[in-house]
Amino acid sequence: MSQQIQVSGLDAYYGKHKAIEDISMTIDPQSITAFIGPSGCGKSTFLRTLNRMHEVIPGARVEGKVLLDGEDLYAADVEPVSVRRMIGMVFQRPNPFPTMSIYENVAAGLRLNGRYAKSEVDGIVEDSLKGSNLWNEVKDRLNKPGAGLSGGQQQRLCIARAIAVKPEVLLMDEPCSALDPISTLAIEDLMAELKSKFTIIIVTHNMQQAARVSDRTAFFNLAGQGQPGRVIEMDDTSRIFTNPAQKATEDYITGRFG
Amino acid sequence: MAAIAVFLVVEAVPALQANKGSFFTTLTWEPNGTQSFGIAALAFGTLVSAVLALVMAVPVAVGVALFISHYAPRRMAGVLGYVIDLLAAVPSVVYGLWGIVFLVPFMQGPSEFLNTYLGFIPLFGGDVVAGRSMLTASVVLAVMILPIIAAISREVFLQVPRMHEEAALALGATRWEVIRTAVLPFGRPGVISASMLGLGRAMGETIAVALIFPATFGISLEILTPQGNSIAANIANGFGEATPIGRGALIASGLVLFIITLLVNTAARMIVARRKEFSGAAA
Ligand SMILES: Nc1ncnc2c1ncn2[C@@H]1O[C@H](COP(=O)(O)OP(=O)(O)OP(=O)(O)O)[C@@H](O)[C@H]1O
Ligand SMILES: [Mg+2]
């Protein structure tokens, strides 16, 4: 069900400003990849190019290739909408739909994708909430507003919403940065479980988190002041954190800059 | 506020005591002559014309607002927004004149068409079809309240947090689906409030409808026939040559209009409040 991602020669722009340059990498199925790097180096920008969310910003555009299982997501005949259905996303700030109940939030993606019988939706909602370890906490109040949950619960609700449509890939942009340590651990455990079904990519500023959860790590940095961001180094997480090839990577993870 | 209310009640009571008909059921308005008058037809006309106007105006206004906020290119959106704001500021007498000069003759044709082919629906039934009808007055009111509803709705739609729209986009929503899942539900309370403002305006509108209504005193759902009146139009038409009793009667009708407006607004607030926990106010 999860598939390999191959990126080659990818640049992304905001209007005339080139935010990231010449990014190439391969991401294996059923793995967790962490993106680390100083603020503003383009991690979020790159993540959003992977599900064609970058281009929803006025003036933003992308050059280069992203292959999902060999198919170019930026080919002329590919609909961004269908790309986003295959590649789900969890945002930095939990963003459940405020006008919807917990149940409706999880079912939101299904409502877009066509008709399901009520019993089918019930089943998917339950499975997704179980999948995001939220079921036990909310099963008695599925019709209450999603915005009434705690921050950590809201984030797990957003994860449930994302996995309900059964994507191949799950992109997470600093999913724990607004959460307390307990909720953070809950989400890290969850990622380890989800890995068996999805390819997961996570942006994080938390080195321990990257080290704990990911199989591979990519270190992003600016080529220089005012220059676009690039991938400096990408390797197995254990290697990046013990014996990185680049001096800049070592400086960053040991906290000597950034 | 209270002082005004007391003053109005004091003015109205003698007329109500002198009324030879029943204020709530009599279908004439002759406080100056036979001293028999009733509010029913006027209140009916006020409500029906305003509700019809709302039914016509809200979908169009929401569509225009969505077009400006989510479809139009930025420059076009700016121009359109400006035009809508301008239209919202046009005095109602201008709409009334437009109604009587252009719309009344214009509506004759479509009204006959509706009457001929959809006459089996009571709303479009009746023997005589005229340009000066409930429908025409409602259309004028709809055109009049459309800009204000559109302007407020556009503001509300623009305030939908980006993160909710992105949440929908990331689920693979098309532009229309983003609007359905994130924009419209979030904007719903605002659109309801805007509509109520429009409804209030339509019910209180005086001059535009006074020019168009044939000032009859029957209750009929046949909106194409030459019938129709409203509380405000009746006051405008009658206040000049009213006897003291006549003035009191008109003031009493004004009080009724005030109460209807209050009731409608309360109802709207209740609708909005009922879904408060889902309004996004907590997020
Ligand atoms: N909507 C936008 N419009 C214009 N420029 C943007 C926009 N979003 C980001 N940028 C620019 O693109 C560059 C990369 O930003 P990005 O958000 O991808 O960095 P990041 O690595 O995710 O940073 P952080 O760790 O702080 O989240 C920055 O120079 C930023 O100013
Ligand atoms: Mg970021």
Side-chain angles (χ1 to χ4, degrees):
Chain A
M1 121 174 281
S2 65
Q3 291 168 346
Q4 190 191 48
I5 301 171
Q6 279 175 293
V7 181
S8 55
L10 187 126
D11 304 339
Y13 298 80
Y14 292 99
K16 289 200 169 58
H17 172 63
K18 193 188 222 180
I20 50 174
E21 181 174 65
D22 195 26
I23 296 191
S24 300
M25 64 172 64
T26 300
I27 293 168
D28 287 327
Q30 301 186 355
S31 69
I32 301 182
T33 303
F35 293 169
I36 60 171
S39 203
C41 65
K43 306 177 297 292
S44 299
T45 304
F46 179 58
L47 197 72
R48 290 166 60 97
T49 63
L50 297 180
N51 67 341
R52 298 194 64 170
M53 280 293 284
H54 178 65
E55 65 206 50
V56 307
I57 295 165
R61 67 196 166 83
V62 176
E63 285 170 10
K65 276 197 169 127
V66 179
L67 306 186
L68 179 66
D69 204 27
E71 304 253 6
D72 187 1
L73 301 183
Y74 283 93
D77 59 342
V78 174
E79 289 282 334
V81 166
S82 60
V83 171
R84 294 178 203 137
R85 285 179 187 176
M86 284 187 289
I87 306 183
M89 184 158 210
V90 176
F91 295 80
Q92 178 168 355
R93 273 184 64 194
N95 58 353
F97 296 116
T99 53
M100 293 185 195
S101 66
I102 293 170
Y103 180 100
E104 284 302 326
N105 260 286
V106 181
L110 304 174
R111 304 263 185 258
L112 304 177
N113 284 312
R115 303 194 166 279
Y116 291 81
K118 170 94 172 76
S119 60
E120 216 176 335
V121 178
D122 287 350
I124 295 174
V125 167
E126 179 171 345
D127 290 347
S128 308
L129 285 169
K130 282 180 175 158
S132 69
N133 289 335
L134 191 58
W135 177 250
N136 287 328
E137 289 154 69
V138 301
K139 62 171 185 272
D140 301 320
R141 47 172 171 156
L142 290 176
N143 291 319
K144 289 272 177 289
L149 298 172
S150 77
Q153 290 172 327
Q154 285 187 27
Q155 195 60 303
R156 279 179 283 151
L157 178 61
C158 292
I159 294 174
R161 179 176 67 188
I163 63 180
V165 293
K166 304 202 166 53
E168 318 277 347
V169 181
L170 202 52
L171 308 176
M172 305 176 124
D173 194 351
E174 302 186 45
C176 304
S177 66
L179 306 183
D180 68 289
I182 308 267
S183 310
T184 300
L185 274 184
I187 290 189
E188 287 181 12
D189 289 345
L190 175 57
M191 282 192 272
E193 288 168 31
L194 294 176
K195 182 174 129 171
S196 62
K197 290 193 197 142
F198 307 99
T199 305
I200 298 179
I201 305 176
I202 174 175
V203 175
T204 178
H205 280 287
N206 180 333
M207 295 304 128
Q208 287 83 12
Q209 181 169 65
R212 274 194 302 264
V213 301
S214 71
D215 304 297
R216 304 263 298 165
T217 298
F219 171 60
F220 285 67
N221 202 358
L222 297 172
Q225 198 68 43
Q227 301 270 309
R230 290 167 164 275
V231 176
I232 302 300
E233 182 173 2
M234 179 170 185
D235 210 330
D236 289 343
T237 299
S238 53
R239 212 181 144 81
I240 291 275
F241 280 95
T242 53
N243 189 15
Q246 300 290 327
K247 177 88 168 51
T249 315
E250 184 170 353
D251 286 350
Y252 183 73
I253 58 173
T254 53
R256 256 173 276 160
F257 95 50
Chain B
M1 243 336 235
I4 297 175
V6 168
F7 168 77
L8 292 178
V9 171
V10 168
E11 290 277 303
V13 165
L16 291 177
Q17 281 167 342
N19 191 358
K20 299 214 168 58
S22 156
F23 186 63
F24 291 108
T25 55
T26 300
L27 291 183
T28 52
W29 193 269
E30 291 168 350
N32 303 325
T34 65
Q35 297 202 346
S36 166
F37 56 92
I39 194 75
L42 295 175
F44 174 82
T46 302
L47 275 174
V48 170
S49 60
V51 167
L52 273 179
L54 203 63
V55 166
M56 290 186 271
V58 169
V60 180
V62 168
V64 169
L66 279 177
F67 180 75
I68 295 176
S69 66
H70 283 80
Y71 284 90
R74 197 176 302 179
R75 180 164 315 163
M76 187 177 171
V79 173
L80 279 176
Y82 182 70
V83 170
I84 295 283
D85 287 346
L86 261 181
L87 286 176
V90 171
S92 62
V93 65
V94 175
Y95 288 106
L97 288 173
W98 169 76
I100 194 80
V101 172
F102 169 77
L103 199 63
V104 166
F106 175 84
M107 287 299 283
Q108 186 73 34
S111 296
E112 276 167 14
F113 179 87
L114 284 173
N115 183 251
T116 310
Y117 294 100
L118 295 173
F120 57 89
I121 302 172
L123 220 50
F124 301 134
D127 303 326
V128 197
V129 166
R132 287 180 67 180
S133 62
M134 187 72 100
L135 181 66
T136 305
S138 305
V139 172
V140 171
L141 288 175
V143 171
M144 195 185 91
I145 62 177
L146 201 153
I148 185 81
I149 301 178
I152 298 176
S153 301
R154 178 202 53 181
E155 284 304 313
V156 173
F157 295 150
L158 284 175
Q159 272 165 21
V160 177
R162 187 74 201 144
M163 66 175 189
H164 298 319
E165 290 185 39
E166 291 213 334
L169 281 170
L171 284 173
T174 59
R175 187 155 19 178
W176 171 239
E177 288 167 336
V178 170
I179 286 170
R180 247 184 35 210
T181 46
V183 179
L184 286 179
F186 190 92
R188 186 174 165 277
V191 172
I192 293 178
S193 303
S195 306
M196 288 309 126
L197 191 64
L199 186 67
R201 276 195 152 195
M203 288 196 305
E205 175 49 35
T206 309
I207 200 69
V209 288
L211 290 173
I212 291 171
F213 275 137
T216 58
F217 284 93
I219 289 185
S220 164
L221 267 176
E222 295 172 347
I223 59 172
L224 303 177
T225 56
Q227 303 197 57
N229 211 340
S230 78
I231 295 177
N234 187 54
I235 294 176
N237 286 332
F239 211 84
E241 57 258 32
T243 62
I245 295 289
R247 278 182 47 182
L250 291 173
I251 288 172
S253 74
L255 279 170
V256 171
L257 175 60
F258 178 64
I259 292 166
I260 295 177
T261 314
L262 270 185
L263 288 179
V264 166
N265 267 303
T266 313
R269 262 166 215 243
M270 277 160 59
I271 297 173
V272 173
R274 209 162 39 113
R275 301 252 324 162
K276 197 169 197 81
E277 55 175 353
F278 286 98
S279 70

